Structures are given as C-alpha cells and as structure tokens.
Amino acid sequence: MNNSDPGKAGSFSRRSFLKSIGTTAVATAAAQTQSIAAELEKANAETTIGPGAVPVTLQVNGEALKLQLEPRVTLLDALRNYSSLTGSKEGCDRGTCGACTVMIDDTPVYSCMKLAIEAQGHAITTVEGLAKDGKLTKVQQAFMERDALMCGYCTPGFVMSVSALLKKNFRPTADEVRHACVGNICRCGTYPRIMEAALQAAGVATAMNKTEVITYG
Ligand code: FES
Ligand code: FES
C-alpha cells in the first residue's frame, strides 16, 4: 500500500471512491425508477369508474337502496331524483345552507357535497328514517310543538343536525345547539323557535317553559 500517493487514502483509491459514488448513485436511481414504475403499475391497475352509470348500493334508513348512477351524482341527487326520498332539500347545492343535511354513521353531512358512490358502505339516515312506526322522534315532535318553522324548507336539515347532536350529547347547552346548527340557514329567521325546539327535545329548561324541565317520552 502506498499512502504517499495523493490519489489513495488507506486502501481507498480516488478511482474506487468515484466508482463507489457512481455505483451508489446508479443504485439510488434504479431504486427510484423501480418505485415510480411500481406506482405507475398500481395506478394503471386501479379501475376507472364511469363516466357512464354504474351500480351503486346505499344503505339508507336501514335498507339497501340499489341504483344505477353516474359517478358524478351526489348523494342528495341520488336520494331526491333517483329514489323517492325527497325529505332532504336542495337549497344551495354548494354546501352552504344545510337544507340537505343527512346523517352518515350518525354524523351530520351535507349530502349535496358527497358523491353517492363515496357514501357506499356507510349507514345513511335521512329525515324519513327518524320516525318509527309512525311515531315522531322527540326532535320532530318538539319542532312541531314549538312551531319551529315557517316555510319549512330548512326544517329537515335542522332536524337532522339537532338529532345528530342529541345522539352524542343528551343535554346540550344553548351554545352547543347553536354550534351544532351553525351550518344550517333558515331564511325565514325561525332561529329562536328552532332553539326552543332543540332544547325542549333535550329536556332542557328554557325561558319559554320557565323553570320547568320538559321531558318527553
Ligand atoms: S343544498 Fe346542500 S348545503 Fe345547501
Ligand atoms: S322556515 Fe323557511 S327557510 Fe327556515
């Protein structure tokens, strides 16, 4: 070994060093190429859906709803125009009014902002699915008793938002009700009565019912 040669350090020559860099660079590039190829192969293997109608099965109100839908069809459109479930209303069709609110796995969701194909495999509840055997839920009953609507167009959305809240929070405060309904707009301005109805449904005392806590069976 000749350590006086500036091209050599120990057993590592400049040539072998450069060669090793080249080898490492080539190996890295090869690994990256393989990884990109694998990603491309995966992407190519994914099935393209549409643009024509495809079979879509939605679990709505406990029943399977089998439809043929183009992938672009929203859940709201599927409910209202491809089945007879017109309870969810179309106010804005752009995620601002809340009239189209449904529950997906007990979470309130704007159905106009969700593609029907994306909602497959989840439990969807619409306003039609709340009452059982003709018996209104506490929320529906309270909306009726408090006269919490004028034109009624926003009402299904509010009922769904309040129902979703009460599933998770049995005794909400007024602030919590307001927060739950922050995505719902009532153009008729029925907010005070909607608030009263929501709190009545929760059995929370309000100014309207003085000190009495209303409970409903
Ligand atoms: S119709 Fe969906 S938010 Fe208005
Ligand atoms: S009651 Fe008319 S929009 Fe709310």
Side-chain angles (χ1 to χ4, degrees):
M1 181 186 302
N2 181 3
N3 285 337
S4 65
D5 182 345
K8 289 188 175 180
S11 62
F12 212 57
S13 70
R14 177 185 292 151
R15 177 182 294 238
S16 67
F17 174 67
L18 290 174
K19 258 173 87 178
S20 77
I21 289 180
T23 308
T24 307
V26 169
T28 306
Q32 282 175 346
T33 305
Q34 277 174 358
S35 150
I36 291 167
E39 285 300 317
L40 280 173
E41 199 175 323
K42 199 171 129 196
N44 288 336
E46 283 173 6
T47 313
T48 304
I49 298 173
V54 295
V56 172
T57 302
L58 301 172
Q59 289 299 323
V60 185
N61 303 331
E63 290 183 9
L65 182 60
K66 292 181 183 295
L67 303 169
Q68 286 284 329
L69 302 173
E70 292 176 22
R72 66 182 176 84
V73 172
T74 64
L75 177 57
L76 177 63
D77 198 8
L79 293 170
R80 288 184 56 81
N81 299 319
Y82 292 83
S83 82
S84 57
L85 297 167
T86 56
S88 311
K89 303 301 182 206
E90 183 179 309
C92 63
D93 202 26
R94 59 190 59 193
T96 56
C97 75
C100 65
T101 305
V102 299
M103 276 189 260
I104 296 185
D105 298 331
D106 289 343
T107 299
V109 169
Y110 288 158
S111 59
C112 72
M113 290 286 101
K114 184 98 182 160
L115 291 176
I117 53 169
E118 290 179 313
Q120 292 182 106
H122 296 277
I124 301 159
T125 308
T126 68
V127 72
E128 292 94 339
L130 295 180
K132 297 278 181 274
D133 302 323
K135 188 173 187 307
L136 298 180
T137 62
K138 289 180 192 176
V139 176
Q140 291 172 310
Q141 187 73 26
F143 268 70
M144 199 178 69
E145 291 178 6
R146 292 290 179 185
D147 202 15
L149 62 149
M150 286 199 222
C151 77
Y153 205 76
C154 69
T155 311
F158 273 101
V159 167
M160 296 311 289
S161 292
V162 173
S163 300
L165 169 68
L166 296 191
K167 274 179 179 283
K168 292 178 179 150
N169 181 353
F170 300 117
R171 286 286 184 274
T173 62
D175 272 351
E176 287 169 336
V177 172
R178 269 191 286 274
H179 186 261
C181 296
V182 76
N184 296 81
I185 293 172
C186 174
R187 291 175 174 83
C188 300
T190 328
Y191 296 108
R193 286 171 185 255
I194 291 169
M195 181 66 62
E196 288 292 337
L199 292 173
Q200 174 175 313
V204 175
T206 66
M208 276 183 78
N209 58 37
K210 308 289 187 226
T211 56
E212 185 187 359
V213 175
I214 297 176
T215 53
Y216 283 82

